[in-house]
Coordinates of all heavy atoms in Angstrom, one line a residue:
Chain A
R204 N -11.4 -20.0 -1.3 CA -10.3 -19.6 -2.1 C -9.7 -18.3 -1.7 O -8.5 -18.0 -1.8 CB -10.6 -19.5 -3.6 CG -10.7 -20.9 -4.3 CD -11.4 -20.9 -5.6 NE -12.8 -20.7 -5.5 CZ -13.6 -20.7 -6.6 NH1 -13.1 -21.0 -7.8 NH2 -14.9 -20.6 -6.4
T205 N -10.5 -17.4 -1.1 CA -10.0 -16.1 -0.8 C -10.4 -15.6 0.6 O -9.8 -14.7 1.1 CB -10.6 -15.0 -1.7 OG1 -12.0 -15.1 -1.7 CG2 -10.1 -15.2 -3.2
Y206 N -11.3 -16.4 1.3 CA -11.8 -16.0 2.6 C -10.7 -15.9 3.7 O -10.0 -16.9 3.8 CB -12.9 -16.9 3.0 CG -13.6 -16.5 4.3 CD1 -14.1 -15.2 4.5 CD2 -13.7 -17.4 5.4 CE1 -14.8 -14.9 5.7 CE2 -14.4 -17.1 6.5 CZ -14.9 -15.8 6.7 OH -15.5 -15.4 7.8
R207 N -10.6 -14.8 4.4 CA -9.6 -14.6 5.5 C -8.2 -14.8 5.0 O -7.3 -15.1 5.8 CB -10.0 -15.5 6.7 CG -11.4 -15.3 7.2 CD -11.6 -15.9 8.5 NE -11.0 -15.1 9.5 CZ -11.3 -15.2 10.8 NH1 -12.2 -16.1 11.2 NH2 -10.8 -14.4 11.7
K208 N -7.9 -14.5 3.7 CA -6.6 -14.6 3.2 C -6.1 -13.2 2.7 O -7.0 -12.4 2.2 CB -6.5 -15.6 2.1 CG -6.8 -17.0 2.5 CD -6.8 -18.0 1.3 CE -7.1 -19.4 1.8 NZ -7.2 -20.4 0.7
F209 N -4.9 -13.0 2.8 CA -4.3 -11.7 2.3 C -3.9 -11.8 0.8 O -3.4 -12.9 0.4 CB -3.1 -11.3 3.1 CG -3.5 -10.8 4.5 CD1 -3.4 -11.6 5.6 CD2 -3.9 -9.5 4.6 CE1 -3.7 -11.1 6.8 CE2 -4.2 -9.0 5.9 CZ -4.1 -9.8 7.0
A210 N -4.1 -10.8 0.1 CA -3.6 -10.7 -1.3 C -2.1 -10.5 -1.3 O -1.5 -10.0 -0.3 CB -4.3 -9.6 -2.1
S211 N -1.5 -10.8 -2.4 CA -0.1 -10.4 -2.5 C 0.0 -9.5 -3.7 O 0.4 -9.9 -4.8 CB 0.8 -11.7 -2.8 OG 0.7 -12.5 -1.7
P212 N -0.3 -8.2 -3.5 CA -0.4 -7.3 -4.7 C 0.9 -7.0 -5.3 O 1.9 -6.9 -4.7 CB -1.0 -6.0 -4.0 CG -0.6 -6.1 -2.6 CD -0.6 -7.6 -2.3
K213 N 0.9 -7.0 -6.6 CA 2.1 -6.7 -7.4 C 2.1 -5.2 -7.9 O 3.1 -4.8 -8.4 CB 2.2 -7.6 -8.6 CG 2.0 -9.1 -8.3 CD 3.1 -9.6 -7.4 CE 2.9 -11.1 -7.2 NZ 3.8 -11.6 -6.1
M214 N 1.0 -4.6 -7.7 CA 0.9 -3.2 -8.3 C 1.2 -2.2 -7.1 O 1.1 -2.5 -6.0 CB -0.4 -3.0 -8.9 CG -1.6 -2.9 -7.9 SD -2.0 -4.4 -7.1 CE -2.8 -5.3 -8.4
L216 N 0.5 0.2 -4.4 CA -0.7 0.2 -3.5 C -0.5 1.1 -2.3 O 0.6 1.1 -1.7 CB -0.9 -1.2 -3.1 CG -2.1 -1.5 -2.2 CD1 -2.7 -2.9 -2.5 CD2 -1.8 -1.5 -0.7
V218 N -2.2 2.3 1.3 CA -3.2 2.0 2.4 C -3.3 3.2 3.3 O -2.3 3.7 3.8 CB -2.8 0.8 3.2 CG1 -3.8 0.5 4.2 CG2 -2.6 -0.4 2.3
T237 N 1.3 -0.1 3.9 CA 2.0 -0.3 2.6 C 1.8 0.8 1.6 O 0.8 0.8 1.0 CB 1.6 -1.7 2.0 OG1 1.6 -2.7 3.1 CG2 2.6 -2.1 1.0
A240 N 3.6 -1.4 -2.4 CA 3.7 -2.8 -2.0 C 4.1 -3.8 -3.1 O 3.6 -4.9 -3.2 CB 2.4 -3.3 -1.4
S241 N 5.0 -3.3 -3.9 CA 5.3 -4.2 -5.0 C 5.9 -5.5 -4.5 O 6.8 -5.6 -3.7 CB 6.4 -3.5 -5.9 OG 7.5 -3.1 -5.1
S242 N 5.3 -6.6 -5.0 CA 5.7 -8.0 -4.7 C 5.8 -8.2 -3.2 O 6.6 -9.0 -2.8 CB 7.0 -8.4 -5.4 OG 8.0 -7.7 -4.9
R243 N 5.0 -7.5 -2.4 CA 5.0 -7.8 -0.9 C 3.7 -8.2 -0.5 O 2.7 -7.8 -1.0 CB 5.4 -6.5 -0.2 CG 5.5 -6.7 1.3 CD 5.5 -5.4 2.0 NE 6.6 -4.5 1.7 CZ 6.8 -3.3 2.3 NH1 5.9 -2.9 3.2 NH2 7.8 -2.6 2.0
T244 N 3.7 -9.2 0.4 CA 2.4 -9.6 1.0 C 1.7 -8.4 1.7 O 2.4 -7.8 2.5 CB 2.5 -10.8 1.9 OG1 3.1 -11.9 1.2 CG2 1.2 -11.2 2.5
L245 N 0.5 -8.2 1.5 CA -0.2 -7.1 2.1 C -0.3 -7.3 3.6 O -0.7 -8.3 4.1 CB -1.6 -7.0 1.5 CG -2.5 -5.8 2.0 CD1 -1.8 -4.5 1.6 CD2 -3.8 -5.9 1.3
S246 N 0.1 -6.3 4.3 CA 0.0 -6.3 5.8 C -0.9 -5.2 6.3 O -1.1 -4.2 5.6 CB 1.4 -6.2 6.4 OG 1.9 -4.9 6.1
W247 N -1.5 -5.4 7.4 CA -2.4 -4.5 7.9 C -1.9 -3.9 9.3 O -1.1 -4.5 9.9 CB -3.8 -5.2 8.2 CG -4.3 -5.8 6.9 CD1 -4.1 -7.0 6.5 CD2 -5.1 -5.2 6.0 NE1 -4.7 -7.2 5.3 CE2 -5.4 -6.1 5.0 CE3 -5.7 -3.9 5.9 CZ2 -6.2 -5.8 3.9 CZ3 -6.5 -3.6 4.8 CH2 -6.7 -4.6 3.8
Chain B
T133 N -12.5 -2.2 0.6 CA -11.2 -2.8 0.7 C -11.1 -4.3 0.9 O -10.3 -5.0 0.5 CB -10.4 -2.0 1.8 OG1 -10.9 -2.4 3.1 CG2 -10.4 -0.5 1.6
Y134 N -12.1 -4.7 1.7 CA -12.3 -6.2 1.9 C -12.5 -6.9 0.6 O -11.9 -7.9 0.3 CB -13.4 -6.4 2.9 CG -13.8 -7.8 3.2 CD1 -13.2 -8.4 4.3 CD2 -14.7 -8.5 2.5 CE1 -13.5 -9.7 4.7 CE2 -15.0 -9.8 2.8 CZ -14.4 -10.4 3.9 OH -14.8 -11.7 4.2
A135 N -13.4 -6.3 -0.2 CA -13.7 -6.9 -1.5 C -12.5 -6.7 -2.4 O -12.2 -7.6 -3.2 CB -14.9 -6.2 -2.2
M136 N -11.8 -5.6 -2.3 CA -10.6 -5.4 -3.2 C -9.5 -6.4 -2.8 O -8.8 -6.9 -3.7 CB -10.1 -4.0 -3.0 CG -8.9 -3.6 -3.8 SD -9.4 -3.6 -5.6 CE -7.7 -3.9 -6.3
N137 N -9.4 -6.8 -1.6 CA -8.4 -7.8 -1.2 C -8.7 -9.1 -1.8 O -7.8 -9.8 -2.2 CB -8.4 -7.9 0.4 CG -7.5 -9.0 0.8 OD1 -6.3 -8.9 0.7 ND2 -8.0 -10.1 1.4
M138 N -10.0 -9.4 -2.0 CA -10.3 -10.6 -2.7 C -10.1 -10.5 -4.2 O -9.6 -11.4 -4.9 CB -11.8 -11.0 -2.5 CG -12.1 -11.4 -1.0 SD -13.7 -12.2 -0.9 CE -13.6 -12.7 0.9
Y139 N -10.4 -9.3 -4.7 CA -10.2 -9.0 -6.2 C -8.7 -9.3 -6.5 O -8.4 -9.9 -7.5 CB -10.5 -7.6 -6.5 CG -10.2 -7.1 -7.9 CD1 -11.1 -7.2 -8.9 CD2 -9.0 -6.5 -8.1 CE1 -10.8 -6.8 -10.2 CE2 -8.6 -6.0 -9.4 CZ -9.5 -6.2 -10.4 OH -9.2 -5.7 -11.7
M140 N -7.8 -8.8 -5.6 CA -6.4 -8.9 -5.9 C -5.9 -10.3 -5.8 O -4.8 -10.6 -6.3 CB -5.6 -8.0 -5.0 CG -5.7 -6.5 -5.3 SD -4.6 -5.5 -4.3 CE -5.2 -5.6 -2.7
Q141 N -6.7 -11.2 -5.2 CA -6.3 -12.6 -5.2 C -6.7 -13.4 -6.4 O -6.3 -14.6 -6.6 CB -6.9 -13.3 -3.9 CG -6.4 -12.7 -2.6 CD -7.0 -13.4 -1.4 OE1 -6.9 -14.6 -1.3 NE2 -7.7 -12.7 -0.6
L142 N -7.6 -12.8 -7.2 CA -8.1 -13.5 -8.4 C -7.0 -13.6 -9.5 O -6.3 -12.6 -9.7 CB -9.3 -12.8 -9.0 CG -10.5 -12.7 -8.0 CD1 -11.6 -11.9 -8.7 CD2 -11.0 -14.1 -7.6
P143 N -6.9 -14.7 -10.1 CA -5.9 -14.8 -11.2 C -6.3 -13.8 -12.3 O -7.4 -13.7 -12.7 CB -6.1 -16.3 -11.7 CG -6.7 -17.0 -10.6 CD -7.6 -16.0 -9.9
A145 N -6.1 -10.6 -12.1 CA -6.7 -9.3 -11.6 C -5.9 -8.1 -12.1 O -4.7 -8.1 -11.9 CB -6.7 -9.3 -10.0
V150 N -3.6 1.0 -6.8 CA -4.7 0.7 -5.9 C -4.6 1.6 -4.6 O -3.5 1.8 -4.1 CB -4.7 -0.8 -5.4 CG1 -5.7 -1.0 -4.3 CG2 -5.0 -1.7 -6.6
L152 N -6.3 1.7 -0.8 CA -7.3 1.1 0.2 C -7.5 2.1 1.2 O -6.5 2.4 2.0 CB -6.7 -0.2 0.7 CG -6.3 -1.3 -0.2 CD1 -5.8 -2.5 0.5 CD2 -7.5 -1.7 -1.1
V156 N -10.6 -2.6 5.8 CA -11.2 -3.6 6.7 C -10.4 -4.9 6.6 O -10.3 -5.4 5.5 CB -12.6 -3.9 6.2 CG1 -13.2 -5.1 7.0 CG2 -13.5 -2.7 6.5
P157 N -9.7 -5.3 7.6 CA -8.8 -6.4 7.5 C -9.6 -7.7 7.2 O -10.7 -7.9 7.7 CB -8.2 -6.5 8.9 CG -9.1 -5.8 9.8 CD -9.8 -4.7 9.0
P158 N -9.1 -8.6 6.4 CA -9.8 -9.8 6.0 C -9.7 -10.9 7.1 O -10.4 -11.9 6.9 CB -9.1 -10.3 4.8 CG -7.7 -9.8 4.9 CD -7.8 -8.5 5.7
N159 N -8.9 -10.7 8.1 CA -8.7 -11.8 9.0 C -9.1 -11.5 10.5 O -8.9 -12.3 11.4 CB -7.3 -12.3 9.0 CG -6.3 -11.2 9.5 OD1 -6.7 -10.0 9.6 ND2 -5.1 -11.6 9.9

Side-chain angles (χ1 to χ4, degrees):
Chain A
R204 283 169 284 188
T205 55
Y206 184 54
R207 304 194 76 164
K208 296 177 181 175
F209 286 99
S211 298
K213 308 298 183 189
M214 71 289 289
L216 181 145
V218 180
T237 312
S241 56
S242 68
R243 181 197 297 183
T244 299
L245 183 60
S246 61
W247 301 90
Chain B
T133 68
Y134 179 90
M136 184 63 204
N137 178 64
M138 291 195 177
Y139 172 90
M140 289 189 291
Q141 294 180 59
L142 299 177
V150 169
L152 303 181
V156 172
N159 64 340

